[in-house]
Structures are given as structure tokens and as C-alpha cells.
Amino acid sequence: MSIRVGIIGISGYGGGEAMRLVAGHPSFELVYAAGEGSAGSRLVDRFPGAPAKLADLVIEKWDPTALPRLDVLFASLPTGASADALARVPKDVKIVDIGGDHRWVEGWTYGLADVWPAQIKGKTRVANPGCFPAATLTALAPLLADKLIEPGNIVVDVKTGVSGAGRGGGNSKFGYAEVNEDLAPYGLLKHAHMPEIAKTIERLSGEGSAGGLVFTPHLVPMTRGILATIYCRGRATTEQCFDAAKRFYGGRAFVRVSDKPPHTKWATGSNFAFVSYAADPDRNLVIAMGVVDNLGKGAAGQAVQNANLICGLPETAGLDGAPVWP
Ligand SMILES: NC(=O)C1=CN([C@@H]2O[C@H](COP(=O)(O)OP(=O)(O)OC[C@H]3O[C@@H](n4cnc5c(N)ncnc54)[C@H](OP(=O)(O)O)[C@@H]3O)[C@@H](O)[C@H]2O)C=CC1
Ligand SMILES: CC(=O)N[C@@H](CCC(=O)OP(=O)(O)O)C(=O)O
């Protein structure tokens, strides 16, 4: 029996990627697509390559009181735009919120799917992690679990592709002429992802405060991909870090522990995360690296993984496609 799925914000980058994954999913059937400005268009009008079975589905004006019968709803709206409306969705519809309104919010489970799948199974309200936290926390989790690094002394330097800003990011600073051949930091000291990264570091370490967290994103001229290079304090060896990661992610489908520093291209179009480590105990230094596709593990890929978990499906259902390379 198919699981009836809806996607709100389907015309955007996160929603469009969710559509692609849902279209190829063995148990999901997309029956509802919604948005704001795109309402009234068919999917094929927004996505000329939309699969034939979905091409004529018309995007509706998002209205939580006028939903068809649904089992799962993916919300991919700008952060700030979903909290009120999602509160009005009937309780029996399971929700995965790709936006930032419900991360570490009461009544919602923080959906860090590769790290704590058991906490997600059976839930009905899941907040997908942000794209930067997806890369950062996946790399840090094994080190924190084994207490190989100090939770209060972590510096995160991340690079992101421009699609992280969304299709509707639309202002000139994301135009081709502005980003091509350019590299710039932004959001220094106050990026919106800092609280969820800090909170999760504290949960994973089980002690202390992540108060010394430094987090700086950089916009780079590529379409997709995130690389987090994370500087930590700890006396672990490189081998201990790899051992911790291989144990932590043993048997997990989507995290690859790489002996080489990871490339963003390795993950493109997939739900994979790649993690790697280098450490010098004499210098009290551990470097952790994490790579994800911001629209894959950073958004729609992890959202489908979370939906699989809450629907009792195999975690990999609909997510076993290889990355696009080169
Ligand atoms: N891009 C990324 O890499 C990631 C994004 N996210 C988060 O996912 C969410 C979506 O991001 P992204 O896809 O990039 O953004 P886009 O700008 O590409 O898309 C935004 C979508 O939201 C819809 N929308 C906007 N306002 C409303 C409204 N009031 N009611 C209904 N629909 C509305 C738009 O619909 P329409 O066109 O019909 O107006 C559009 O489909 C954001 O919260 C973002 O922060 C999370 C992780 C990664
Ligand atoms: C390049 C770029 O602008 N990236 C976005 C990533 C946003 C994201 O992941 O979304 P949430 O709002 O769901 O947390 C940013 O830095 O805000």
C-alpha cells in the first residue's frame, strides 16, 4: 500500500529535491504539492524534467485546513513561515519540517538521522537539521560520544554552495556575477545555525557547555555541497578518531568514514555524509571534516530518511541512488 505524501514549498530547491526523491521512492506517492507564488502552476511548468506521473499535478495554495488525506507532509518553507501553519495540520499527518522553525522545539524531535535513529522512529513531528549542522554534527558525533574532544572549544569553518540560499533567495548577492570567482565569509558570530549546533554538541557530549563554539560559513561559487572543517581541542590520535567513527557508524548506510580528506563532489545528489579526521596529540589538536550535499543530507535526503524512520520503512528506501559524478 502506498504512503500518501505532500510537499509544501515544492517549487523551491529543498522542495524540488524532495519531489525528486519522493518520485523515485518505492512506497511514497506524491498526492499534494503546495506553495505560494507558484500556486496554480503544474509541476512540469516549474520543473520541465518532472517525472511523467507527476507532470500535471497542480501546485495548490498552501492551506493547512484544506489538505487531502495524507500520511506524511514535508514542509520546505522559509524559516519563520511554517510554525503557525504546521500547528494546524491534523495530528495524524506525520510532518518532517525541512525549514528551521522546529529545531529543538518542544514537541518536535531533532532528526539527526544517522546519529540517533532510534529516537526518531515512531515520532510524528520531526525537525530536520540545518544543512551546516548536518555536515558538522555528523563529523563531531563519534568524537563527542568517546569524549575525545572538549565540547566547549570547537571552531567550525564551513564552505557552502550557493543553492544553500534557496531559489527564492533571489537578491543580487546570489546572482552569477556576484558569486562567480568569489569567496566570502558571512554570518560571523551570529549565524542562525549556532544554537542547534551548540545544543546538539551538549547532548552528544553529555556534559559541559558548548559555549566556546565558533562557527563561520563561507559562500563559494559552486551549486551544491558543504564542507565543514572543524578544529577541536583533544589529545586523541588520528587512529583513535577513525576507530571512534568506524564504531559509531558501523552498519549505518549513509555515513562513509574516509581515510582521505573528503570532497564536496563525492556527495552530490546523494544522502551520503563523508567524515574524516586528522589529529596531533602533542599539539592538543583534532581536525574533523564533514561533507554533505546541502540539498541531500542537508535537506531533502535526510528528510526522506527521517520519513522512512517515522513510517517504519527501511531507512534507505528511495535513497539508494549513487551520487552524480563528476
Ligand atoms: N537550500 C538548502 O540547501 C537548504 C534549505 N533549508 C531550509 O529549507 C527551507 C526551504 O529552503 P529552499 O528550498 O532553499 O528555499 P526556496 O527559496 O528555494 O523555496 C522556498 C519555497 O517556499 C515557498 N513559500 C515561501 N513562502 C511561502 C508561504 N507563505 N506559503 C507557502 N509557501 C511558501 C515557495 O513557494 P512559491 O515559489 O510557490 O512562492 C518556495 O517553494 C528553508 O527553511 C531553508 O532554510 C534547509 C537545509 C538546506
Ligand atoms: C548559502 C546560504 O545562505 N545558506 C543558508 C543555509 C540555510 C539553511 O540550511 O537553512 P535553514 O534556514 O533551514 O536553517 C544560510 O546560511 O542561512
Side-chain angles (χ1 to χ4, degrees):
M1 199 183 73
S2 66
I3 292 174
R4 293 167 61 85
V5 167
I7 301 175
I8 327 161
I10 198 161
S11 73
Y13 288 160
E17 186 72 351
M19 177 194 73
R20 186 175 76 84
L21 294 174
V22 167
H25 194 288
S27 304
F28 290 168
E29 181 192 359
L30 185 69
V31 297
Y32 175 70
E36 174 85 347
S38 62
S41 341
R42 297 169 307 156
L43 286 181
V44 72
D45 300 327
R46 304 295 295 195
F47 300 100
K53 65 182 176 183
L54 299 178
D56 290 329
L57 188 67
V58 174
I59 301 174
E60 315 225 356
K61 180 106 174 149
W62 160 229
D63 177 355
T65 63
L67 295 177
R69 188 172 62 74
L70 286 178
D71 300 303
V72 176
L73 184 61
F74 294 99
S76 186
L77 304 181
T79 296
S82 66
D84 291 347
L86 290 185
R88 287 184 280 141
V89 171
K91 295 276 176 278
D92 62 344
V93 179
K94 300 177 176 76
I95 304 176
V96 179
D97 188 1
I98 297 173
D101 283 355
H102 295 103
R103 299 179 190 146
W104 290 113
V105 165
E106 175 90 33
W108 289 72
T109 300
Y110 188 69
L112 197 58
D114 298 302
V115 172
W116 46 53
Q119 295 185 34
I120 299 165
K121 281 182 184 159
K123 298 293 192 307
T124 59
R125 296 287 180 272
V126 175
N128 226 44
C131 51
F132 295 130
T136 303
L137 296 168
T138 310
L140 286 178
L143 306 183
L144 291 163
D146 275 16
K147 306 206 181 306
L148 297 179
I149 55 171
E150 297 171 23
N153 218 342
I154 295 175
V155 176
V156 187
D157 176 307
V158 287
K159 316 288 189 303
T160 178
V162 182
S163 65
R167 191 176 191 174
N171 70 47
S172 66
K173 77 179 185 203
F174 298 112
Y176 178 80
E178 302 265 339
V179 299
N180 183 42
E181 305 279 2
D182 189 52
L183 174 59
Y186 66 97
L188 286 91
L189 303 176
K190 58 173 174 48
H191 191 277
H193 288 173
M194 282 186 74
E196 66 178 283
I197 294 175
K199 175 95 176 169
T200 312
I201 287 172
E202 287 165 7
R203 276 299 160 98
L204 288 165
S205 69
E207 63 182 31
S209 141
L213 180 67
V214 179
F215 173 82
T216 307
H218 300 74
L219 191 69
V220 304
M222 59 186 185
T223 302
R224 291 179 181 227
I226 287 181
L227 165 65
T229 309
I230 311 159
Y231 302 94
C232 314
R233 291 291 169 205
R235 297 274 174 205
T237 62
T238 302
E239 193 182 1
Q240 283 176 305
C241 296
F242 276 109
D243 281 353
K246 284 178 182 157
R247 263 185 287 111
F248 194 91
Y249 291 118
R252 306 289 292 130
F254 295 116
V255 183
R256 297 268 165 99
V257 181
S258 166
D259 57 0
K260 300 185 203 68
H263 291 225
T264 55
K265 243 177 204 199
W266 294 356
T268 304
S270 80
N271 188 43
F272 284 124
F274 293 87
V275 298
S276 190
Y277 304 93
D280 184 345
D282 293 338
R283 293 167 63 194
N284 194 25
L285 176 65
V286 174
I287 304 175
M289 290 151 273
V291 152
V292 300
D293 181 336
N294 53 292
L295 295 174
K297 178 68 70 192
Q302 181 144 240
V304 169
Q305 189 180 352
N306 277 318
N308 288 338
L309 285 165
I310 63 182
C311 291
L313 298 171
E315 214 174 333
T316 52
L319 292 171
D320 42 13
V324 175
W325 195 89

